[in-house]
Amino acid sequence: MEIPAADAATRLAAVEENIARICKPARRDPADVTLIAVSKTHSPERIVPLLETGLRVFGENRVQEAQGKWPELRERFPDVELHAIGQLQSNKADDAVALFDVIHSLDRSSLLKALAKAMDKADRRVPCFVQVNIGDEDQKGGCPIGEVPAFLAKVRDADVPVAGLMCLPPADTEPAPFFALLAKLARDNGVEGLSMGMSGDYETAVQLGATHVRVGTALFGPRGG
């Protein structure tokens, strides 16, 4: 079901106003926060109204799903910037490098090797966020906190552009300490980009320095709605 254009514009305006409101006391420029509309599981019909508002940065979890939607959408909106925000399998590296403009889930040496090889083959350098397992959770991807400096060095040695650090805090916990820790890790390692914060906690993330927030429900409405 398509989102009425007015609804899409209203939701976008509300999120942008929230970001601006949080930036003010933090003495940050709202323009320094990139809003990524998480369009995973949403059909082109639901994505187009947001594109028509002028929003151009979108995020997808799965390579195959993105391949099915975005080539056609990009014919209509060629200036779209597409971000890979989900776990990425090494065997999808070639497809990811061809399709995405930024990758948020670089978290292990095998994936780094595959992406570097794919970038060399395509003669295209795609900036990557290093995903950090900020809550030390066994079930989640991400580079262990203690290995971040060494892994960042590996990424740079492979001539893969470092966009910053990314995290997903543990569910059902206060996210602020985890966002603050990611920001500290970034400062300690000379990295500027911080991909953190989703619909439920992006305001906290912006307050603590997020440069990229990944927002789905607040822009598209509840799933299935």
Side-chain angles (χ1 to χ4, degrees), residues 118-180:
M119 289 182 203
D120 288 343
K121 194 159 62 174
D123 194 22
R124 181 172 194 246
R125 310 323 283 180
V126 178
C128 293
F129 285 88
V130 168
Q131 182 175 348
V132 180
N133 189 345
I134 205 73
D136 193 23
E137 297 175 273
D138 291 339
Q139 78 277 19
K140 271 190 189 165
C143 176
I145 291 169
E147 296 175 20
V148 168
F151 189 61
L152 279 169
K154 272 189 182 180
V155 176
R156 291 175 175 130
D157 286 346
D159 194 27
V160 171
V162 177
L165 301 181
M166 179 273 227
C167 77
L168 293 161
D172 304 318
T173 58
E174 169 54 50
F178 299 99
F179 293 155

Side-chain angles (χ1 to χ4, degrees), residues 63-64 67 84 87-100 103 106 108-122 124 126 128 160:
V63 172
Q64 199 168 349
Q67 285 174 321
Q87 286 300 112
L88 188 59
Q89 296 172 313
S90 297
N91 64 1
K92 296 287 187 184
D94 285 354
D95 290 337
V97 166
L99 184 63
F100 292 104
I103 292 168
L106 175 54
R108 60 196 186 278
S109 295
S110 57
L111 180 57
L112 171 61
K113 188 176 177 182
L115 286 171
K117 187 177 175 183
M119 289 182 203
D120 288 343
K121 194 159 62 174
R124 181 172 194 246
V126 178
C128 293
V160 171

